[in-house]
C-alpha cells in the first residue's frame, strides 16, 4: 500500500471535488484538464534531486528510498507514490516545492487539495 499525491499546474483555485476529478483523469492517462507548465518540470527535477527515482539507485539504496514506485512525470503533472513510513517527510518536501512553483498538490487519500502553509487557499 502506498501514499499517493498528484501535482499539477492550474491557473485558478480549485475545489477538492474538481481536483479529485482531475486526479482520476490523470491516473487514467487523460491529461486534457491540465496544461504543460515549466514549473512542473522544475518541481520534478527538484523532487528527484532530493529523492532519486528507483531506477537511478543502486540495488543497496532502494530499501532506503521513499518511493513505492518512481514518480510518474509528464510536462503537465507528477503522480507520486511513497511508502507510508516516509509519506509525511515527502509530503512536506512536496508542499514546499508546490508553494515555490505555484502548483496544485492533491491528496487522494483524504480527497483534499493541500497547500503549502504560505500559499493562500
Amino acid at each position: 500500500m502506498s501514499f499517493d499525491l498528484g501535482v499539477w499546474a492550474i491557473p485558478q483555485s480549485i475545489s477538492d471535488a474538481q481536483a479529485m476529478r482531475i486526479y482520476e483523469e490523470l491516473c487514467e492517462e487523460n491529461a486534457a484538464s491540465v496544461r504543460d507548465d515549466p514549473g512542473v518540470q522544475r518541481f520534478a527535477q527538484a523532487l528527484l534531486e532530493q529523492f532519486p527515482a528507483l531506477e537511478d539507485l543502486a540495488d543497496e539504496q532502494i530499501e532506503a528510498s521513499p518511493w513505492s514506485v518512481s514518480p510518474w512525470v509528464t510536462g503537465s503533472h507528477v503522480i507520486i507514490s511513497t511508502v507510508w513510513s516516509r509519506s509525511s517527510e515527502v509530503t512536506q518536501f512536496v508542499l514546499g516545492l508546490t508553494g515555490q512553483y505555484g502548483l496544485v498538490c492533491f491528496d487522494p487519500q483524504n480527497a483534499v487539495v493541500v497547500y503549502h502553509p504560505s500559499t493562500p487557499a
Side-chain angles (χ1 to χ4, degrees):
M1 185 184 240
S2 64
F3 179 86
D4 303 325
L5 295 170
V7 174
W8 61 85
I10 198 155
Q12 71 278 351
S13 62
I14 187 170
S15 72
D16 295 338
Q18 290 170 312
M20 178 58 92
R21 181 184 51 77
I22 291 170
Y23 179 80
E24 289 171 344
E25 289 172 359
L26 295 176
C27 289
E28 294 171 1
E29 299 186 25
N30 175 2
S33 298
V34 296
R35 59 180 164 64
D36 283 359
D37 187 283
V40 172
Q41 290 304 305
R42 290 191 296 270
F43 166 87
Q45 181 179 3
L47 179 67
L48 293 171
E49 283 175 5
Q50 179 70 21
F51 305 109
L54 292 172
E55 56 272 11
D56 295 335
L57 298 174
D59 289 344
E60 61 273 6
Q61 296 173 306
I62 290 176
E63 191 74 27
S65 174
W67 304 129
S68 294
V69 297
S70 292
W72 174 28
V73 178
T74 75
S76 63
H77 63 280
V78 179
I79 303 296
I80 298 166
S81 295
T82 70
V83 295
W84 275 92
S85 62
R86 303 280 302 276
S87 63
S88 179
E89 171 192 4
V90 173
T91 299
Q92 291 308 308
F93 188 77
V94 165
L95 289 179
L97 291 177
T98 57
Q100 181 178 347
Y101 296 115
L103 303 173
V104 170
C105 179
F106 181 69
D107 170 357
Q109 288 78 206
N110 297 300
V112 296
V113 176
V114 185
Y115 295 96
H116 183 272
S118 68
T119 304

